[in-house]
Amino acid sequence: MSKDDGRSGGGPGTSVITKVKPKTKKPNLYRVLILNDDYTPMEFVVHVLEKFFQKDVEAATKIMLHVHHHGIGECGVFTYEIAETKVTQVMDFARKHQHPLQCVMEKK
């Protein structure tokens, strides 16, 4: 009688065990953007970029000038939850200091 258990001959088992790794999907990324307005001081925008986006003075100034000249500028790219938190923090901080600064997020 022959046994059909996946082994060949009478020697040690030669079957291969493979682990199936579940494929994880990369999270969607969102761009956090600052919009230009005619009232928020440039220094305040630089301060926001340093405080909430960990930009150094040079990088923050460069982004602020881009916003000033083009109407919009990217502060960073984050997962949904982090982007949403950053937008809320910036908007709350701007309102607290009585500035109309707008910050939004868009899917990348």
Side-chain angles (χ1 to χ4, degrees), residues 35-54:
L35 308 178
N36 190 41
D37 65 70
D38 294 333
Y39 303 101
T40 305
M42 293 178 176
E43 296 79 16
F44 184 78
V45 176
V46 170
H47 179 65
V48 164
L49 291 164
E50 291 173 323
K51 181 176 177 73
F52 297 106
F53 299 97
Q54 289 71 49

Side-chain angles (χ1 to χ4, degrees), residues 57-75:
V57 176
E58 187 177 328
T61 302
K62 187 175 179 181
I63 294 168
M64 177 275 297
L65 288 172
H66 188 273
V67 171
H68 183 68
H69 293 294
H70 298 95
I72 193 166
E74 182 178 281
C75 306

Side-chain angles (χ1 to χ4, degrees), residues 8-106:
S8 59
T14 57
S15 40
V16 176
I17 299 173
T18 58
K19 287 187 176 181
V20 178
K21 292 183 179 178
K23 300 222 176 191
T24 55
K25 184 180 159 192
K26 289 189 177 184
N28 292 324
L29 296 177
Y30 292 81
R31 298 170 66 208
V32 176
L33 308 166
I34 285 186
L35 308 178
N36 190 41
D37 65 70
D38 294 333
Y39 303 101
T40 305
M42 293 178 176
E43 296 79 16
F44 184 78
V45 176
V46 170
H47 179 65
V48 164
L49 291 164
E50 291 173 323
K51 181 176 177 73
F52 297 106
F53 299 97
Q54 289 71 49
K55 303 292 183 188
D56 59 32
V57 176
E58 187 177 328
T61 302
K62 187 175 179 181
I63 294 168
M64 177 275 297
L65 288 172
H66 188 273
V67 171
H68 183 68
H69 293 294
H70 298 95
I72 193 166
E74 182 178 281
C75 306
V77 178
F78 308 95
T79 59
Y80 181 83
E81 291 80 10
I82 294 172
E84 186 178 45
T85 300
K86 298 269 186 199
V87 168
T88 302
Q89 288 174 329
V90 169
M91 295 292 287
D92 289 347
F93 190 71
R95 297 301 158 266
K96 180 180 170 188
H97 290 87
Q98 300 178 344
H99 294 298
L101 184 66
Q102 293 293 306
C103 186
V104 297
M105 60 190 257
E106 70 175 25

